[in-house]
Every structure is written in structure tokens, then in C-alpha cells.
Amino acid sequence: MNKTIKFISSILVLLVVSASIAFGQSTTGRIAGTVKDPNGAVVPGASVTVAGTSTGFTQVVMPGSAGTYRIDRAPVGASRITVAPIKGFAGTTRDTFVNIGKKSTVDMVLF
């Protein structure tokens, strides 16, 4: 009986350790940036859409008063960032590549 309890305890410890290692693995990256005008002034409130070009991922964010946006769990691979037209500015689009566990900084300039 004692051997059985030790064996079961060992298996449970291995399962807990394995699960914690699996949760520590990252499969995404981050995209962040600032929406600006040609003079470098921030443009708050522009709708920013991030779309993974091969994953089907899409997320829309609205930069705050500082003009910054952030996507914390963007899928790894090629992504397209689009800022919709706003207050006399045309929209713009840029492509980027997201790496595992890394932050891609992509500032967007509206003209």
C-alpha cells in the first residue's frame, strides 16, 4: 500500500510540473505603436485593426488620448495593421511580422 501511495504521489508531482511548464510556453507576440500625423502629433481615437494574414485573427482597438495602441496576444506570423480614416486624415496600412514572445513596434502615420 505504501508503494502505491508513493507511486501515485510521484505521478501527480510529474503532472503538476509538466502542466506548469506547458503554461509557460508562449505562442503569441505583441504589437504596439502610436498613431501620429505627419508632424508627429498623436491622433487619438483612430480605429486600428490588426489582422493576421494567414491565421484569420482580427482585433480592433481604439488608441486612447496618447494615440497608443496595443495587441498583447497577436498570433505569430505576418500581420496587417490598418488605421481607418479619421478627422481629415486618410487611412493607412502597414505590414509587420510577429515573433514569439517579442514586441513589434509599429507606429502609424496618417496623411
Side-chain angles (χ1 to χ4, degrees):
M1 172 109 160
N2 198 12
K3 281 185 173 184
T4 304
I5 291 173
K6 284 183 181 181
F7 178 75
I8 291 172
S9 297
S10 297
I11 295 296
L12 289 173
V13 167
L14 284 173
L15 286 172
V16 168
V17 169
S18 297
S20 66
I21 290 172
F23 282 117
Q25 300 298 316
S26 176
T27 59
T28 60
R30 294 181 300 160
I31 299 174
T34 304
V35 180
K36 303 176 182 180
D37 71 10
N39 298 318
V42 298
V43 179
S47 175
V48 178
T49 301
V50 176
T53 56
S54 62
T55 62
F57 169 86
T58 301
Q59 186 170 346
V60 178
V61 294
M62 300 295 285
S65 60
T68 59
Y69 70 94
R70 186 173 83 192
I71 307 291
D72 287 325
R73 293 186 177 163
V76 172
S79 287
R80 176 161 288 156
I81 303 164
T82 303
V83 180
I86 184 173
K87 297 184 252 176
F89 294 105
T92 190
T93 300
R94 284 188 59 192
D95 292 330
T96 191
F97 193 87
V98 178
N99 292 299
I100 293 176
K102 302 288 182 184
K103 176 181 157 186
S104 299
T105 301
V106 185
D107 291 336
M108 304 296 286
V109 178
L110 299 179
F111 293 96

